[in-house]
Each structure stands twice: as C-alpha cells, then as structure tokens.
Amino acid sequence: MKLYDYGLSIKPTIHHDERGHEPNDTYYYVVAADAEGTKPIGQFPTVQEFIGDGGTLDHPQAIVQNLPPYQNAPNRRDGMESIGAIRFATTSLGPQETKEYIVVFGVTDHEQDIHRAVGRYCSHEKVQKAYEENHAFWTEKLNAIVFQSGDRDFDCWLKWVSLQPTLRKIFGCSFLPHHDYGRGGRGWRDLWQDYLALILQNPNDVRKILIANFNGVRTDGSNATMILKGIGNFAADRNKISRVWMDHGVWPFYTIKLYIDRTGDLDILFEKGSYWKDHQIRRAKARDFQWTSEYGNRQKDAEGNIYEGTVLEKMMLQHLVCYHNVGEHGNMKLEDADWNDQLDLASHRGESVPFTCFYGSNLIAMGELLKICAEKRGIQNILVFKELASLLFSEANTPAEKNAVLSAYFDSIDRFSGECVEIKIEDAAAQLIRKGESVLQRVREREWIVSQSGNEFFRGYYNDDGNSVDGDRADGTAMNLTAQTFAVMSGAATDEQVQKAYAAAGKLLKDPTTGGYRLTTPLGDNTWNFGRGFALIYGEKETGGMFSHMAVMFCNALYQRGFIHEGYEVLTNIFRLCTDTEKAKIYPGIPEYINNYGQGKYHYVTGSASWLILTMLNEIYGIKGEVGDLVLEPKLVKEQFDSEGAVHVQTSFAGKRITVNYVNALRKDYGEYKIANASINGRRIEPQEHRIKIEKSQLIKLCDRETNSLEIVLL
Ligand code: G1P
C-alpha cells in the first residue's frame, strides 16, 4: 500500500490463482480533491482503521466518532484490507449551498499514472475539461454515420447500435459481468465482422490491421482463432483445444471486399505477410511432431526462411481448401462447427449447407475481383505458392475426387517449399467463378426440401450419421434460419426459392409468443450426433432464441436480393423486440438474442450490431461502394420517410463528408418510385432509374466543401 497527498494505491504482490500464481503488476488506486483542487486532510486507508473494532461499513467508527485520521499508522498497513476512506477539511454549508468533491479511481500498471490522474482530474475545472473531451470523442464516433428517417425512435436506437461495434472492439466479446461465458478475448469470425462497421465508419483506420490479421492463416486454410492484444498477435485457440471452425475462411474475404468497395484500394490484395504455424496440420486432423516452439509461429519455406504470401493468396487458399473439403453429400464439412459454434459434435460426417453457399458466392466474387484487377490495373499474372495451383486448377467433381485432391495437397505441404508460380489472372478468375457457380448450383438443386407440411426451404445440415437434420420428422418439420440466410444471400436461391423460404421461416420459425424469428426449430433427437447446443433448453441462445445476428443477416440477405418488404418486416420485427423495454429489460441496442420470454440477453456481446449498420447503410439507404466508386441505390419503403417525404443520412465516402437527402415528396413506396433527379452541392448528376453511380474521381471533384450535400429526388 502506498499513501499519497491525494489518496492511496495498492499493488498486491501476486495474482492468487491456484492454476498458477503470477507476479502482479497492477496498481489499484483512489485519489480525491475538492472542486478547487485542495487535497484531503488525511485518510483511513485500511478497513480496520475506518470501521474500528466491531464496526461495519454502514456504521464506521471513523465517521460516527468523527475521529481525526492518524498521522502515523497505528499498526501495519500492508496486507490489511484497504479502502479509499478520505477525509476533507471541515466545511459549513448554508441552506441551498453545495460543495463539490472529486473522487478518481483507477487501475494501472504504471505508478506515474496515479500522479498524472491527480494532475488531470483533481479539480472541478479539470473534470469539466475531461468530460468535454470525452463527450467530443464519443460524439465524433457516433456522428460517423447518422440516420434520420421518419421514425425518431428507430434512429435513436440505431445510435446505440452503432456504438456497440466500437465497444466490442475495445472490450472484446464478453466483457460485462452478466455474460456467463468468455474471457473477453475476440475470436476470428467476430473480429472480422466487427470490422464491417468500423470500415463504414473510417476505412483508413483499419487497413494495417486487416493485413496483419491474415498472418493468422495456416497453409491448410485454417487459422489461429484468438486475436490477442497488439497487431497481428494470435493464439491457436482460447482453451488450447485443436479444432477448426469451418466458417472461418469466409469472413476475411467478405470484410476485405467491403473495404475494397469503400476505398477502391485493390493494392491491399497484394500486400504480403507470413502464415501461422503450430503443431496443428490437416485442419486439426493431425499433429506435426516435427514442429517445436523454437521453430516459432511463422511458416518457413524449404530453406528455413519465413515465407510471405499475399492477402489474395491466403483468401484463395481459405476458399479452395474448403471447396475440396466436402462430405458425402457434396457440401463442405461442418468440421468442429460453423458460425453456430454450438454445432460441435459432427466433425466426421457433418456438413454445413449455409457455409457451402457462403464459400460459393465468395469464390465467384473473388473471381470477379480478379477480373477487375486485370481491367483497372492491367494486372496479367498473379504469384501464388506452387502447391496452391493444384487446388485452383483441380477438375475434381465428386466428393471422393475432391477429398483426394485435398489429401494430395496436404501431403505436398508437409514440407512446404515456398516456391511460387505465376498464374494468368484471367485463368485464376475463371477457375474461381466456375467452382463457385458449381457449388451454388448443387445447393439450389439438391438441398431444397419440400416438406410434407407444404413448407419449402433449404436444408441446413447433415449430422454425424450423415442424415439430414432438417425436413420432415415424426415430431414435425425441422428447419433452420442460417441455411435460408446464406442460400438467399449467396444467390444459390432462385427468386422463387427466396419467396418460399421466407414464407416457411414465417410459419415454422416465428416464436408464437414473441413473434421473433428463431434460429431453429427444436432439434429433437439430434443431441449427440450434431452439437452441444441442443442440450440447452429450447427458447434460449442458439436454440430457439431470436438470435439477432442471424436474424439481421437474414434481413440483409432479403434486401440484397431485392425482397424489400420482406426485409423490412424482419428489420421491424427485430426492432420491436429489442425496444419492447418492459419485456426485453435491456438498455437500447441489440442484444445477442431475445429469449422466448422476450427478454434480451448478452447485451453488447453481439456481432449483429455491425451487420445492422451495414444493412442500414449499404442496403436500406443504399449507400454503397463499388471498387471505390459511390453507388446510391435506395431501398426505403414509404413508412421510413418523414411527413415531408424525406430521409437523410450523414456519412463519409472517399474521405469526404456527405449528407445524402432522399426526397420522396409523393411518399411513394419502394417499387413505385424512381430516381428522377440527383445533384451534388447543387450540380446535377446523371441518374439511372434505380441507382446512381458516381466515379470516385468525379465525387472528389464535386465534393469540394466540408460537408457535401447529395440531393436525390424520388418520383
Ligand atoms: C456469437 C459468437 C460467435 C458465434 C455466434 C453463433 O455471436 O460470438 O462467434 O458465431 O454466437 O454461435 P455474436 O452474437 O456475438 O455475433
């Protein structure tokens, strides 16, 4: 314990933890002053001195008997229970008079921070200044994107939602005391999705981190799953378990695509970095006994030099490995779970249809991106490590053929050469697109269920016995939302299938009490051959809760596919549940899920906030990037316009602050209006019927003010 003029600090010698004690570096402190910055006259730094013999904290002897603080300690203070019990000079207050005191408490690894805290906060003026700085900091963050529609409650709710990704970035996934799991770290998929909103807020901030995070990818296409402090630091797994989540490969590409669309920065694809290396090989199905911690966590080539590959190479690898890693029905293997980390008991024969779709559409989008690189940058060849070419050019078709190619690939990287080959960019593009399309086509044709109940929808999974989890069962029709979301979003679903899947979700997945879209119908007997989640009570979490993340992604998928009224229905459904405060019992924002009592759970922990902001800006307000160019394509329904028929959004694009005003004076509905007129700062631009594309260079030229106004007239 250390006493100062303004307070005290303690620094316990060790962390007491029976799994392994460690030396402690942390100081815990309290300092205080009055409004003028006058220091206290003394303190009772131990509970013993403060409460006295037989006293209690609500009847402390020091106060009850108005004792003077000891100038010299009456007994040993170290090792005693400490307390910030601080005494100020006597003062008299007349009626209506007030007296202000400032109490600062903190945690730090550096003792000088305590003295700094006194200097920065210990007077009214200083606290006021700090408060204003803090206020300005958060206001700026919150003003990065501002929505103004006809529904003020909805707009205010979105403000809270837009704060969530930032808090999650700072604190990790599970930082509040009411979370019953997690240690506050951030997992791979969560991290990449959090960046979706952060890219929308300010893409320049994240470039370096995006590139560094690719250093977590292994040469078998899997990745280290935990992101640690600092940039590019990982741990293989939070709980030191060797396992692979099969969805992990899709998220980086999705995020990088958004980044490129917002910035036009195609160069990021060619930024290089190392690969992760540890004992885990063949996607956690084998162990590399040669690997030792002395080797380090960076993959080396045959000569023992650290190998560096491009972001593009790593993303191709992540997708091409999964393309070949299919189960007997032809979908990608579920491995140790997908996005739904509860589906963790089907690593042998389990298959994930939703993520097969996601990988499929990413393969196509990646191919298209390569074509753009060729077109816009004149790039003719790309360089990849030679073993990857065998996956890229494979003609394997059946599950057995695909598995054989993958197995040969794994053999070939047992001793990773690090040699690179040049590939024509157009050949690579064609291969990726062909592969992606074949994946989607197969799902479209083979994973569509026509149930006896008359509902039609996409199958979600095969379990560890190789049986369909979804469809007709003795106890009813089983269905899950994830499959519908990604079949719709990926383009695997035809328009007719989108309609039918949406209708089936309304019938089978809506909770009869709350009306929310549940993630799944009860899983019945699929307990031990599918996943741990189904040992949970139905109606909570991933089993039968309205799992916000998937519901928001479902909404996004419907908007992407042009099913605007359906998407809007899902959106308002989520909003209604989150803001029905009496039942939801949460602060404003979006929780991880709403249980079947309508109660919001795990507030702030969720990636749905990022997806919601993305959906609002990119889809609903339709302010998108297309490889750096700005596209405006509103998908607003008439209820969203205010009484004058207007909605506004403030955001940034290409480093310019813009306010987009959509004016729909006749208050027409989506589908009835067209873009009639458009201007930037009063200068007319040429619209098409439903969208406007403004090239980045033109946008920069026209946006010559601090805040630039884009007026879009809808008629
Ligand atoms: C949480 C986990 C995430 C997992 C999801 C579904 O999602 O953080 O890793 O994919 O549950 O099991 P969140 O709601 O935080 O996005």
mmCIF file of all heavy atoms in Angstrom, residues 66-94:
data_model
loop_
_atom_site.group_PDB
_atom_site.id
_atom_site.type_symbol
_atom_site.label_atom_id
_atom_site.label_comp_id
_atom_site.label_asym_id
_atom_site.label_seq_id
_atom_site.Cartn_x
_atom_site.Cartn_y
_atom_site.Cartn_z
ATOM 1 N N ASN A 66 -16.288 10.747 14.549
ATOM 2 C CA ASN A 66 -15.579 11.871 13.929
ATOM 3 C C ASN A 66 -14.102 11.909 14.336
ATOM 4 O O ASN A 66 -13.584 12.921 14.819
ATOM 5 C CB ASN A 66 -16.274 13.184 14.303
ATOM 6 C CG ASN A 66 -15.950 14.267 13.273
ATOM 7 O OD1 ASN A 66 -15.480 13.934 12.174
ATOM 8 N ND2 ASN A 66 -16.189 15.511 13.618
ATOM 9 N N LEU A 67 -13.458 10.772 14.139
ATOM 10 C CA LEU A 67 -12.048 10.657 14.555
ATOM 11 C C LEU A 67 -11.137 11.400 13.589
ATOM 12 O O LEU A 67 -11.412 11.438 12.391
ATOM 13 C CB LEU A 67 -11.629 9.175 14.561
ATOM 14 C CG LEU A 67 -12.394 8.251 15.482
ATOM 15 C CD1 LEU A 67 -11.891 6.819 15.291
ATOM 16 C CD2 LEU A 67 -12.215 8.688 16.942
ATOM 17 N N PRO A 68 -10.059 11.953 14.066
ATOM 18 C CA PRO A 68 -9.072 12.504 13.127
ATOM 19 C C PRO A 68 -8.278 11.354 12.499
ATOM 20 O O PRO A 68 -8.022 10.355 13.182
ATOM 21 C CB PRO A 68 -8.165 13.345 14.031
ATOM 22 C CG PRO A 68 -8.323 12.749 15.374
ATOM 23 C CD PRO A 68 -9.674 12.086 15.450
ATOM 24 N N PRO A 69 -7.902 11.497 11.252
ATOM 25 C CA PRO A 69 -7.087 10.434 10.659
ATOM 26 C C PRO A 69 -5.739 10.349 11.372
ATOM 27 O O PRO A 69 -5.215 11.374 11.816
ATOM 28 C CB PRO A 69 -6.893 10.873 9.219
ATOM 29 C CG PRO A 69 -7.714 12.088 9.025
ATOM 30 C CD PRO A 69 -8.184 12.589 10.341
ATOM 31 N N TYR A 70 -5.203 9.169 11.473
ATOM 32 C CA TYR A 70 -3.886 9.005 12.098
ATOM 33 C C TYR A 70 -2.819 9.619 11.225
ATOM 34 O O TYR A 70 -2.832 9.436 10.005
ATOM 35 C CB TYR A 70 -3.551 7.514 12.247
ATOM 36 C CG TYR A 70 -4.442 6.795 13.206
ATOM 37 C CD1 TYR A 70 -5.491 6.010 12.744
ATOM 38 C CD2 TYR A 70 -4.206 6.882 14.586
ATOM 39 C CE1 TYR A 70 -6.300 5.321 13.627
ATOM 40 C CE2 TYR A 70 -5.019 6.201 15.464
ATOM 41 C CZ TYR A 70 -6.068 5.425 14.985
ATOM 42 O OH TYR A 70 -6.852 4.757 15.857
ATOM 43 N N GLN A 71 -1.915 10.348 11.813
ATOM 44 C CA GLN A 71 -0.779 10.835 11.036
ATOM 45 C C GLN A 71 0.217 9.700 10.842
ATOM 46 O O GLN A 71 0.779 9.543 9.771
ATOM 47 C CB GLN A 71 -0.109 12.031 11.734
ATOM 48 C CG GLN A 71 -0.997 13.289 11.785
ATOM 49 C CD GLN A 71 -1.622 13.644 10.430
ATOM 50 O OE1 GLN A 71 -0.960 13.554 9.408
ATOM 51 N NE2 GLN A 71 -2.899 14.036 10.416
ATOM 52 N N ASN A 72 0.387 8.901 11.894
ATOM 53 C CA ASN A 72 1.252 7.727 11.776
ATOM 54 C C ASN A 72 0.388 6.496 11.959
ATOM 55 O O ASN A 72 -0.506 6.470 12.805
ATOM 56 C CB ASN A 72 2.338 7.742 12.859
ATOM 57 C CG ASN A 72 3.243 8.937 12.663
ATOM 58 O OD1 ASN A 72 3.748 9.159 11.569
ATOM 59 N ND2 ASN A 72 3.386 9.727 13.724
ATOM 60 N N ALA A 73 0.698 5.497 11.160
ATOM 61 C CA ALA A 73 -0.133 4.297 11.179
ATOM 62 C C ALA A 73 -0.130 3.668 12.560
ATOM 63 O O ALA A 73 0.929 3.539 13.176
ATOM 64 C CB ALA A 73 0.417 3.297 10.183
ATOM 65 N N PRO A 74 -1.324 3.313 13.076
ATOM 66 C CA PRO A 74 -1.378 2.683 14.394
ATOM 67 C C PRO A 74 -0.887 1.245 14.316
ATOM 68 O O PRO A 74 -0.520 0.656 15.321
ATOM 69 C CB PRO A 74 -2.866 2.709 14.724
ATOM 70 C CG PRO A 74 -3.560 2.752 13.393
ATOM 71 C CD PRO A 74 -2.635 3.440 12.452
ATOM 72 N N ASN A 75 -0.902 0.679 13.159
ATOM 73 C CA ASN A 75 -0.437 -0.702 13.000
ATOM 74 C C ASN A 75 0.025 -0.887 11.559
ATOM 75 O O ASN A 75 -0.016 0.042 10.757
ATOM 76 C CB ASN A 75 -1.546 -1.686 13.357
ATOM 77 C CG ASN A 75 -2.862 -1.271 12.705
ATOM 78 O OD1 ASN A 75 -2.855 -0.670 11.640
ATOM 79 N ND2 ASN A 75 -3.965 -1.548 13.357
ATOM 80 N N ARG A 76 0.456 -2.090 11.275
ATOM 81 C CA ARG A 76 0.913 -2.413 9.914
ATOM 82 C C ARG A 76 -0.247 -2.202 8.938
ATOM 83 O O ARG A 76 -1.380 -2.558 9.231
ATOM 84 C CB ARG A 76 1.368 -3.874 9.914
ATOM 85 C CG ARG A 76 1.684 -4.456 8.579
ATOM 86 C CD ARG A 76 2.320 -5.824 8.750
ATOM 87 N NE ARG A 76 1.469 -6.720 9.555
ATOM 88 C CZ ARG A 76 0.403 -7.372 9.050
ATOM 89 N NH1 ARG A 76 0.089 -7.254 7.793
ATOM 90 N NH2 ARG A 76 -0.312 -8.148 9.830
ATOM 91 N N ARG A 77 0.074 -1.612 7.799
ATOM 92 C CA ARG A 77 -1.000 -1.409 6.824
ATOM 93 C C ARG A 77 -0.921 -2.402 5.668
ATOM 94 O O ARG A 77 -1.952 -2.791 5.125
ATOM 95 C CB ARG A 77 -0.960 0.020 6.296
ATOM 96 C CG ARG A 77 -1.635 0.961 7.289
ATOM 97 C CD ARG A 77 -1.494 2.396 6.907
ATOM 98 N NE ARG A 77 -2.295 3.243 7.779
ATOM 99 C CZ ARG A 77 -2.070 4.520 7.996
ATOM 100 N NH1 ARG A 77 -1.034 5.109 7.429
ATOM 101 N NH2 ARG A 77 -2.856 5.205 8.772
ATOM 102 N N ASP A 78 0.305 -2.775 5.276
ATOM 103 C CA ASP A 78 0.412 -3.758 4.195
ATOM 104 C C ASP A 78 -0.272 -5.042 4.604
ATOM 105 O O ASP A 78 -0.164 -5.471 5.756
ATOM 106 C CB ASP A 78 1.886 -4.038 3.869
ATOM 107 C CG ASP A 78 2.442 -2.965 2.954
ATOM 108 O OD1 ASP A 78 1.641 -2.375 2.191
ATOM 109 O OD2 ASP A 78 3.653 -2.690 3.026
ATOM 110 N N GLY A 79 -0.950 -5.626 3.679
ATOM 111 C CA GLY A 79 -1.614 -6.895 3.961
ATOM 112 C C GLY A 79 -2.972 -6.715 4.604
ATOM 113 O O GLY A 79 -3.703 -7.685 4.775
ATOM 114 N N MET A 80 -3.314 -5.485 4.967
ATOM 115 C CA MET A 80 -4.642 -5.232 5.522
ATOM 116 C C MET A 80 -5.600 -4.977 4.353
ATOM 117 O O MET A 80 -5.178 -4.621 3.270
ATOM 118 C CB MET A 80 -4.622 -3.989 6.427
ATOM 119 C CG MET A 80 -3.587 -4.019 7.513
ATOM 120 S SD MET A 80 -4.002 -5.171 8.819
ATOM 121 C CE MET A 80 -5.287 -4.257 9.675
ATOM 122 N N GLU A 81 -6.875 -5.078 4.635
ATOM 123 C CA GLU A 81 -7.837 -4.749 3.585
ATOM 124 C C GLU A 81 -7.873 -3.235 3.424
ATOM 125 O O GLU A 81 -8.085 -2.507 4.394
ATOM 126 C CB GLU A 81 -9.211 -5.279 3.975
ATOM 127 C CG GLU A 81 -10.140 -5.338 2.793
ATOM 128 C CD GLU A 81 -11.460 -5.986 3.168
ATOM 129 O OE1 GLU A 81 -11.534 -6.639 4.237
ATOM 130 O OE2 GLU A 81 -12.402 -5.819 2.412
ATOM 131 N N SER A 82 -7.631 -2.756 2.214
ATOM 132 C CA SER A 82 -7.513 -1.305 2.045
ATOM 133 C C SER A 82 -8.849 -0.699 1.631
ATOM 134 O O SER A 82 -9.749 -1.382 1.160
ATOM 135 C CB SER A 82 -6.451 -1.000 0.997
ATOM 136 O OG SER A 82 -6.774 -1.697 -0.167
ATOM 137 N N ILE A 83 -8.923 0.607 1.790
ATOM 138 C CA ILE A 83 -10.169 1.303 1.455
ATOM 139 C C ILE A 83 -9.847 2.764 1.141
ATOM 140 O O ILE A 83 -8.931 3.348 1.730
ATOM 141 C CB ILE A 83 -11.182 1.187 2.639
ATOM 142 C CG1 ILE A 83 -12.539 1.774 2.242
ATOM 143 C CG2 ILE A 83 -10.663 1.857 3.903
ATOM 144 C CD1 ILE A 83 -13.646 1.444 3.261
ATOM 145 N N GLY A 84 -10.558 3.339 0.209
ATOM 146 C CA GLY A 84 -10.365 4.761 -0.095
ATOM 147 C C GLY A 84 -11.264 5.594 0.793
ATOM 148 O O GLY A 84 -12.260 6.146 0.326
ATOM 149 N N ALA A 85 -10.953 5.685 2.084
ATOM 150 C CA ALA A 85 -11.774 6.462 3.026
ATOM 151 C C ALA A 85 -11.033 7.757 3.303
ATOM 152 O O ALA A 85 -10.065 7.785 4.065
ATOM 153 C CB ALA A 85 -12.002 5.670 4.300
ATOM 154 N N ILE A 86 -11.459 8.814 2.652
ATOM 155 C CA ILE A 86 -10.657 10.033 2.606
ATOM 156 C C ILE A 86 -11.373 11.152 3.348
ATOM 157 O O ILE A 86 -12.572 11.344 3.181
ATOM 158 C CB ILE A 86 -10.396 10.378 1.117
ATOM 159 C CG1 ILE A 86 -9.411 9.338 0.556
ATOM 160 C CG2 ILE A 86 -9.857 11.788 0.951
ATOM 161 C CD1 ILE A 86 -9.223 9.373 -0.914
ATOM 162 N N ARG A 87 -10.639 11.875 4.150
ATOM 163 C CA ARG A 87 -11.244 12.931 4.974
ATOM 164 C C ARG A 87 -10.809 14.297 4.446
ATOM 165 O O ARG A 87 -9.627 14.538 4.203
ATOM 166 C CB ARG A 87 -10.777 12.720 6.429
ATOM 167 C CG ARG A 87 -10.907 13.854 7.393
ATOM 168 C CD ARG A 87 -12.314 14.151 7.916
ATOM 169 N NE ARG A 87 -13.123 13.047 8.401
ATOM 170 C CZ ARG A 87 -13.133 12.585 9.648
ATOM 171 N NH1 ARG A 87 -12.317 13.079 10.551
ATOM 172 N NH2 ARG A 87 -13.943 11.624 9.992
ATOM 173 N N PHE A 88 -11.803 15.196 4.242
ATOM 174 C CA PHE A 88 -11.505 16.572 3.821
ATOM 175 C C PHE A 88 -11.653 17.518 5.003
ATOM 176 O O PHE A 88 -12.287 17.170 6.010
ATOM 177 C CB PHE A 88 -12.460 16.995 2.704
ATOM 178 C CG PHE A 88 -12.119 16.358 1.400
ATOM 179 C CD1 PHE A 88 -12.749 15.195 0.986
ATOM 180 C CD2 PHE A 88 -11.140 16.915 0.590
ATOM 181 C CE1 PHE A 88 -12.412 14.597 -0.202
ATOM 182 C CE2 PHE A 88 -10.796 16.320 -0.601
ATOM 183 C CZ PHE A 88 -11.436 15.152 -1.003
ATOM 184 N N ALA A 89 -11.145 18.732 4.828
ATOM 185 C CA ALA A 89 -11.257 19.750 5.882
ATOM 186 C C ALA A 89 -12.726 20.027 6.164
ATOM 187 O O ALA A 89 -13.565 19.934 5.266
ATOM 188 C CB ALA A 89 -10.563 21.029 5.428
ATOM 189 N N THR A 90 -12.997 20.374 7.406
ATOM 190 C CA THR A 90 -14.377 20.665 7.796
ATOM 191 C C THR A 90 -14.878 21.871 7.013
ATOM 192 O O THR A 90 -14.145 22.826 6.775
ATOM 193 C CB THR A 90 -14.416 20.998 9.302
ATOM 194 O OG1 THR A 90 -13.777 19.932 9.973
ATOM 195 C CG2 THR A 90 -15.829 21.187 9.811
ATOM 196 N N THR A 91 -16.123 21.807 6.607
ATOM 197 C CA THR A 91 -16.697 22.944 5.894
ATOM 198 C C THR A 91 -18.139 23.109 6.357
ATOM 199 O O THR A 91 -18.757 22.134 6.786
ATOM 200 C CB THR A 91 -16.583 22.727 4.366
ATOM 201 O OG1 THR A 91 -17.040 23.878 3.707
ATOM 202 C CG2 THR A 91 -17.375 21.540 3.894
ATOM 203 N N SER A 92 -18.662 24.329 6.308
ATOM 204 C CA SER A 92 -20.057 24.523 6.719
ATOM 205 C C SER A 92 -20.870 24.931 5.512
ATOM 206 O O SER A 92 -20.438 25.779 4.725
ATOM 207 C CB SER A 92 -20.165 25.646 7.746
ATOM 208 O OG SER A 92 -19.262 25.413 8.769
ATOM 209 N N LEU A 93 -22.023 24.343 5.378
ATOM 210 C CA LEU A 93 -22.896 24.672 4.252
ATOM 211 C C LEU A 93 -24.127 25.403 4.755
ATOM 212 O O LEU A 93 -24.805 24.931 5.671
ATOM 213 C CB LEU A 93 -23.352 23.398 3.538
ATOM 214 C CG LEU A 93 -22.310 22.607 2.762
ATOM 215 C CD1 LEU A 93 -22.948 21.399 2.102
ATOM 216 C CD2 LEU A 93 -21.650 23.487 1.710
ATOM 217 N N GLY A 94 -24.430 26.551 4.184
ATOM 218 C CA GLY A 94 -25.680 27.246 4.459
ATOM 219 C C GLY A 94 -26.789 26.614 3.640
ATOM 220 O O GLY A 94 -26.521 25.761 2.795
#
